[in-house]
Amino acid sequence: MRPRLVACVAALAIAAATCNSQPAMRPPVPASGGELSPAPGGSVRSFDLTAAPAKVELKPGLVVSAWAYNGVVPGPVLRVFDGDLVRVTLRNHLSVGTTIHWHGLAVPNGQDGVAGVTQDPVPPGASATYSFVARGAGTFWYHSHQRGSYQLDRGLYGVLIVEPRGKAVGVDHVVVYDEWPIGLEMPSPPPASDPAMSAYVTVSVNGRSGDAIAPIRFASGQTVRLRLLNAGYLVHFVRVEDTAVTVVAFDGHEVRGGRPTTDVLPLGPGERIDVELAANGQATWLALQDPFPPSGDALLAVAPEGAPVPAFTPSGIRPVLDIFTYGAQASASPWPKGGGVPTRTFTLTLSEISRTRAALPSPMPGMEMGDVSYQINGAAFPDTPVLEVSLGDLVTIKFVNAGRQDHPMHLHGHAFQVLERDGMAVKGLLVKDTIVVRPGSSITVGFLADNPGWWMIHCHQLHHAAGGMMLLLRYQGSLRLAQLGGPYQSTPD
Ligand code: C2O
Ligand code: CU
């Protein structure tokens, strides 16, 4: 008995833990390696995000039992300047553990918020602080990465904007798309009957749907920047009716000299596209040119202040913008100018394997919820290969989509340059952190390994991620900070 008594006394001294016959649960692995000071000229920006259940009225008659940051979906827009130290206190008022991941930001590994890889989830009732320097202006976002497919679907996401330092803040608005599944509604049932609508009942814009979507207003003469984000699980095609726009950023990375276009903007899960509307005083509408029927719920008016919003008249089907040839000129690239000789090359073949003979009918394309295994090189996470790199490597990854669905592939901790599509060199400079790989297509990306740690690579159709389409990139010599499972049921997807 004696050693145990000593241990109990020690534990009491440290944490005032109760000593009983149960072994004490170890504390959760916290987020670690937080940065302490801003870059020169930057300041400290502090935010509080409380994750809690919330009733969200998507439109009259459709109230969902959501999970939200600070009671709103999307969560509050976090706006900082390049070089600022971002300090976010997460308070968990949910009944389950949660984390926050900073999508598109190259934070220290321990700040990446990935349950089972970089930390354990923050338990119910607990809080945690993330602290990192925002380097590089752009549109980024944050979301849970503990049971992500479930927690994002309920609303745990928001936009993080990094403004360039020393430039006037322009007029901008976020436009966040998401789909909502049934099962979250309050008593009023979803509108009946169409089987294609059985899983997901509506698309929302900034957490509202249909007539409840608030128009974006601008003063005439203003140039309006729209920061589009797809927080959902389907590729959406955004059409700006009868108005040319100029793309100024893909995934937060600046594009210079893009030509005005009326093409439809393809916005995959996790992707961002920033566009500028020329101020011509005209009202316009953003519509989705999607095969998914409730896309009519996602009409957003953009109109001058005080003017009536004109009736929506669709302008007809238009071609989809080819982001690979847009003439993009990124301001900085994670790949050497004029080419580089890779020191590590990987090929990842993406596929879907139905585990049951008769797969369930798909409620909508890309949303098969049946017993499907989503695989990389023939294996499902956590049995997928671990990609090993060393600090300073020039890494290429070729994604080959051998399946029948879109796979928006996302790399944590780094931006990449898109080098090839279907074996052909991509001419423009396209820098991103998420890229949609279409069925039958291949895409090669390249980046400099400059951020040590263990990083996720996964499909951002998070049902696919949960079904196995994830793997880890590991720097030699880096310790893995957290493990899957355990007492906090750490699971990234
Ligand atoms: Cu948007 Cu692994 O994340
Ligand atoms: Cu996928």
Side-chain angles (χ1 to χ4, degrees), residues 181-194:
I182 55 169
L184 300 179
E185 300 84 1
M186 296 300 289
S188 71
S193 76
D194 182 349

Side-chain angles (χ1 to χ4, degrees), residues 418-457:
V418 182
L419 301 175
E420 287 182 5
R421 170 174 53 163
D422 298 332
M424 307 279 286
V426 170
K427 298 251 169 50
L429 188 49
L430 180 59
V431 177
K432 300 181 94 277
D433 54 60
T434 309
I435 185 87
V436 177
V437 189
R438 315 229 54 192
S441 176
S442 73
I443 286 178
T444 304
V445 303
F447 61 94
L448 172 68
D450 62 355
N451 195 7
W454 288 65
W455 301 101
M456 295 229 71
I457 299 172

Side-chain angles (χ1 to χ4, degrees), residues 314-371:
S315 64
I317 302 293
R318 290 215 301 269
V320 176
L321 181 74
D322 185 354
I323 64 167
F324 299 91
T325 59
Y326 183 69
Q329 185 65 47
S331 45
S333 176
W335 192 253
K337 256 206 174 64
V341 181
T343 53
R344 305 267 179 169
T345 58
F346 302 100
T347 298
L348 301 178
T349 300
L350 315 171
S351 61
E352 312 103 27
I353 309 290
S354 180
R355 286 183 288 218
T356 50
R357 189 168 287 260
L360 297 173
S362 161
M364 61 190 210
M367 280 294 183
E368 286 77 1
M369 310 265 293
D371 192 13

Side-chain angles (χ1 to χ4, degrees), residues 350 352 374 405-409 459-462 464-465 469:
L350 315 171
E352 312 103 27
Y374 294 89
Q405 298 173 22
D406 293 329
H407 295 302
M409 299 305 293
C459 182
H460 225 288
Q461 201 315 12
L462 294 179
H464 298 180
M469 197 169 280

Side-chain angles (χ1 to χ4, degrees), residues 8 24 35 109 159 167 179 214 240 272 320 376 378 412 445 448:
C8 286
E35 292 176 281
N109 193 226
V159 175
K167 276 198 204 161
E179 313 94 24
V240 185
R272 289 85 68 211
V320 176
I376 301 175
H412 284 216
V445 303
L448 172 68

